[in-house]
Amino acid sequence: MCPETLAGEKGINCFQQEMLRVRERNHGRCVVCGADNATGLHVDFQALSDGSVEAEFSPHPSLVGYPGRLHGGVIAALLDGAMTNCLFANDIIAVTAELTIRYRAPVAPDLPVHVGARIEQTGRRLYRVAAWVHQGAHTVVTAGARFIALPNAAGTAPTTNNEKASKKQDSPLASGLSPLG
């Protein structure tokens, strides 16, 4: 986990390095962000100095549902991927337990979208994460989710300031299982 003493560009780099390290080890075939998935969306999330993430995504025309609207399932995957990468940036490996999405306006499939996520609440093994999609100057979709940390997963950060990681074991996700639930 990134030390709180890091600020500015160093903090961004620390969170970015954590996200990439955890993602590469446990999430390479993810349909949203996996580098090893030839048919995936290849969303390039960037970690910010506060541990949140963001990305720009230009939808492919084949990702429509109704004419002129990006498919809602694609939007849900983008939001879930943003939240998962936000957890990765904070050295947490967790699976989605519950995902709630509010579609506020149609998302045009021919314009780029900005997707982001941040951790809102942490517990012993439960994390509440928020995400959003902006298109132009408008917030078009918001989401909230609960994630459950995987026990004994390498890369999982302590959940309180007083806890220390006693030892790290190989991740159960290394076999190719996705942390997206």
Side-chain angles (χ1 to χ4, degrees):
M1 186 135 181
C2 296
E4 290 181 26
T5 56
L6 293 177
E9 193 64 32
K10 288 184 180 178
I12 291 172
N13 288 337
C14 179
F15 285 111
Q16 184 72 19
Q17 289 172 0
E18 277 305 308
M19 181 184 69
L20 293 174
R21 180 187 67 80
V22 176
R23 185 170 66 204
E24 181 180 313
R25 184 171 183 184
N26 300 290
H27 214 57
R29 297 209 26 89
C30 173
V31 69
V32 175
C33 63
D36 299 332
N37 188 329
T39 59
L41 300 177
H42 300 281
V43 179
D44 185 22
F45 291 100
Q46 299 296 309
L48 305 180
S49 62
D50 62 356
S52 64
V53 299
E54 61 181 22
E56 291 290 324
F57 175 69
S58 296
H60 187 272
S62 67
L63 301 177
V64 299
Y66 288 100
R69 295 174 185 235
L70 187 62
H71 193 285
V74 173
I75 296 166
L78 286 171
L79 292 162
D80 194 44
M83 290 186 273
T84 299
N85 275 270
C86 182
L87 291 168
F88 288 169
N90 289 275
D91 199 24
I92 299 163
I93 298 173
V95 294
T96 310
E98 178 180 86
L99 175 62
T100 303
I101 300 172
R102 182 166 181 221
Y103 296 91
R104 297 169 174 248
V107 179
D110 56 345
L111 298 173
V113 297
H114 179 86
V115 59
R118 71 175 172 276
I119 297 174
E120 296 207 319
Q121 186 177 17
T122 63
R124 188 164 163 240
R125 286 188 58 218
L126 183 67
Y127 301 88
R128 290 184 186 268
V129 186
W132 54 90
V133 173
H134 297 150
Q135 196 163 51
H138 304 284
T139 300
V140 290
V141 185
T142 57
R146 292 190 304 170
F147 285 78
I148 297 175
L150 294 176
N152 301 321
T156 302
T159 55
T160 68
N161 291 336
N162 296 329
E163 290 180 305
K164 302 288 181 196
S166 59
K167 66 179 184 176
K168 297 215 176 191
Q169 301 174 0
D170 285 336
S171 169
L173 299 176
S175 65
L177 295 175
S178 171
L180 292 177

